[in-house]
Amino acid sequence: MSKIMQIIEKETNGKSYHTYKYSYDSIGVPSIEYDDDPNKVMKWKDSAETIQHKKAVDLKPFADMIASKKQQLFKYFLDGSRHVFKVDDIAYNKQVYPVVAGQIGVGCCRREHKRMCKELFYRDLVLALPDKANSDGWDDDAVFSSLTKKLNDKCDVLKAFNLKFSAILKYSSSNKNVGKNANLENAAIAKVQDYMIEAEKRMVAELVKQRKLGQDAYLLKDGSLEYPKMATGDPNLRSLQQIKHNYNWVIGVSKSFNPELCFDHTGHPNSDYIANLPLYHRTPVARYETGRVGNDVQFGVWYIRLRDKRRTQTPFDGVVKVEKVMMDEEIDTGIDSEEIDVISANIINERNPTCYGTDKRWANHLYPVFLTESYVKSKYISTDMFLNLF
């Protein structure tokens, strides 16, 4: 039976080395990974809400009142993830390049009558090849699209398991185009990451088109909303500025963030402000913008403590970072502080039940997000089966 690399080798006039295949997740060096931009700087002097609070806001009474009325602001929960693999090395013009493959899962669950149900799910299989795979110099998009079709039509292994690749992605073979100290594998992995981000944007756009989201049906997205500008992919989804109105009813919640890059209005570090945030309190909302996303998009960003720090391992366990894209009318006036309180109180109420013992990030997890993340991961093809396709 013909396998993927045999077809890629033939169709692109390359030479496959049939090198050792592995998952990048299985060889990673232990490190702290943050959901947000690790280089960002937060300053609370730039308020992004209508009431300029000078200290943390106690939300416990408000959260209890909402819970007693059985009101739930969040109806939809979205999570995206990817598993990335080194599957081969391939040579073009006597130069060897890595071949990287990815499984991408993006899922949305909805809550109805206290039950979690599937709303939408995308599973994409993608392959990242160097631009040298297009040796004829034709239009890259057309060539790689044609190559994807040929792969799906000719690969017996894919047909046997009823699988298809969604795209073959092109990464730059020039180190100068992938950044200082970067390597070709990182460039390929970045392409897979960009494809996952585009899938998340596409899912939000689909929910908006179907009029699923509204003031009584917010979407809670796992992770940051700080989507970087992309040079490739769907031209209608490349920048957040183009689609920011899709995010009127979308809230991003990050389980991990870099507290060392928060500064007070005098420019001094104040990560201890977050570490000492009282239980069930939120910080004032800071205004934030970054060239990574585009200086024409601003965010309201704040932090909420969900767990008592005396019962967690570190002072930052039990604290989540919350983001909201500021709409045009909110740029000048700020986000309504009452809306911020409603969002925050509902997030506090999502803290239980916990996934203690099931996920090491239990203190920062919101249970519907945990269920959505578990659902997405359950749809992955096993690592052994996936690597056997090549």
Side-chain angles (χ1 to χ4, degrees):
M1 297 177 71
S2 60
K3 290 193 172 183
I4 291 172
M5 288 311 301
Q6 293 172 337
I7 295 171
I8 295 295
E9 183 180 37
K10 180 179 178 181
E11 293 293 335
T12 64
N13 297 315
K15 180 184 177 182
S16 169
Y17 283 85
H18 308 290
T19 48
Y20 178 69
K21 304 174 180 64
Y22 55 84
S23 165
Y24 285 105
D25 296 331
S26 66
I27 65 165
V29 177
S31 62
I32 299 174
E33 292 187 2
Y34 300 117
D35 290 341
D36 58 356
D37 178 2
N39 299 311
K40 69 189 293 181
V41 173
M42 293 294 306
K43 292 185 179 180
W44 267 280
K45 71 175 182 178
D46 300 323
S47 175
E49 59 180 314
T50 52
I51 298 175
Q52 296 193 18
H53 293 286
K54 300 298 183 183
K55 59 182 181 178
V57 180
D58 183 5
L59 292 165
K60 187 62 165 66
F62 192 25
D64 288 343
M65 184 270 290
I66 291 175
S68 68
K69 293 184 178 181
K70 298 181 179 180
Q71 297 174 341
Q72 293 175 316
L73 184 68
F74 296 105
K75 184 175 181 179
Y76 297 95
F77 304 88
L78 186 149
D79 177 68
S81 65
R82 84 284 191 287
H83 288 176
V84 188
F85 307 84
K86 170 74 177 293
V87 295
D88 206 350
D89 288 296
I90 195 166
Y92 298 106
N93 298 325
K94 300 181 180 181
Q95 180 69 40
V96 180
Y97 303 94
V99 180
V100 171
Q103 290 192 66
I104 293 171
V106 178
C108 176
C109 293
R110 73 178 184 279
R111 180 169 53 200
E112 286 189 358
H113 310 298
K114 298 183 180 181
R115 294 180 63 88
M116 293 290 285
C117 312
K118 168 193 167 184
E119 179 66 27
L120 289 171
F121 178 75
Y122 301 154
R123 182 177 70 188
D124 293 296
L125 306 182
V126 297
L127 196 64
L129 294 175
D131 49 18
K132 299 296 184 183
N134 177 15
S135 59
D136 295 329
W138 294 93
D139 178 71
D140 283 333
D141 290 341
V143 168
F144 283 88
S145 176
S146 175
L147 184 58
T148 305
K149 185 177 186 307
K150 289 178 181 178
L151 179 63
N152 290 327
D153 290 344
K154 295 181 179 182
C155 185
D156 297 328
V157 177
L158 289 177
K159 291 178 181 178
F161 292 106
N162 195 29
L163 297 172
K164 286 189 174 182
F165 270 72
S166 300
I168 295 178
L169 311 173
K170 175 199 71 172
Y171 68 84
S172 172
S173 60
S174 173
N175 275 314
K176 69 179 182 180
N177 292 329
V178 297
K180 187 177 181 180
N181 299 325
N183 59 41
L184 295 176
E185 288 187 11
N186 288 342
I189 293 170
K191 290 297 180 181
V192 177
Q193 176 72 12
D194 285 349
Y195 198 93
M196 185 199 77
I197 289 174
E198 184 175 311
E200 289 184 354
K201 292 177 182 177
R202 191 166 70 246
M203 185 169 285
V204 172
E206 188 169 345
L207 291 169
V208 171
K209 185 177 180 180
Q210 295 176 9
R211 299 184 178 180
K212 296 289 182 73
L213 307 183
Q215 62 182 359
D216 298 318
Y218 273 66
L219 169 69
L220 196 154
K221 189 257 178 189
D222 185 24
S224 177
L225 299 178
E226 296 166 25
Y227 293 131
K229 288 184 176 181
M230 294 188 296
T232 59
D234 187 336
N236 296 317
L237 300 173
R238 287 182 185 173
S239 76
L240 190 56
Q241 172 61 28
Q242 293 174 276
I243 56 171
K244 76 173 186 177
H245 289 288
N246 286 349
Y247 288 79
N248 196 18
W249 314 112
V250 178
I251 302 299
V253 176
S254 297
K255 295 184 289 291
S256 60
F257 51 88
N258 191 348
E260 296 177 3
L261 295 173
C262 296
F263 294 80
D264 63 19
H265 65 283
T266 66
H268 293 91
N270 68 341
S271 58
D272 63 329
Y273 180 55
I274 299 174
N276 295 323
L277 189 64
L279 184 60
Y280 309 136
H281 284 59
R282 73 165 176 89
T283 65
V285 182
R287 187 185 301 263
Y288 171 68
E289 61 181 346
T290 171
R292 178 172 175 259
V293 174
N295 293 328
D296 45 6
V297 179
Q298 296 186 20
F299 299 87
V301 183
W302 67 101
Y303 298 82
I304 306 172
R305 178 167 288 283
L306 306 177
R307 313 281 179 192
D308 191 332
K309 68 178 180 179
R310 295 175 298 176
R311 290 172 169 77
T312 58
Q313 289 186 329
T314 77
F316 300 104
D317 285 347
V319 178
V320 293
K321 187 196 77 169
V322 186
E323 294 177 345
K324 186 181 186 303
V325 178
M326 300 181 72
M327 298 297 110
D328 293 339
E329 62 276 11
E330 295 170 335
I331 300 296
D332 294 329
T333 63
I335 306 168
D336 188 343
S337 293
E338 184 177 341
E339 181 183 1
I340 298 292
D341 289 343
V342 171
I343 292 169
S344 303
N346 274 273
I347 289 174
I348 290 171
N349 288 341
E350 298 289 359
R351 74 193 184 280
N352 289 327
T354 70
C355 54
Y356 181 79
T358 304
D359 193 304
K360 64 183 180 181
R361 305 163 297 172
W362 68 270
N364 298 64
H365 243 310
L366 303 176
Y367 198 65
V369 172
F370 169 72
L371 293 179
T372 303
E373 185 178 292
S374 299
Y375 166 69
V376 170
K377 290 181 177 178
S378 74
K379 305 295 282 185
Y380 279 126
I381 304 167
S382 72
T383 296
D384 288 342
M385 178 181 172
F386 185 72
L387 292 179
N388 243 353
L389 298 174
F390 298 89

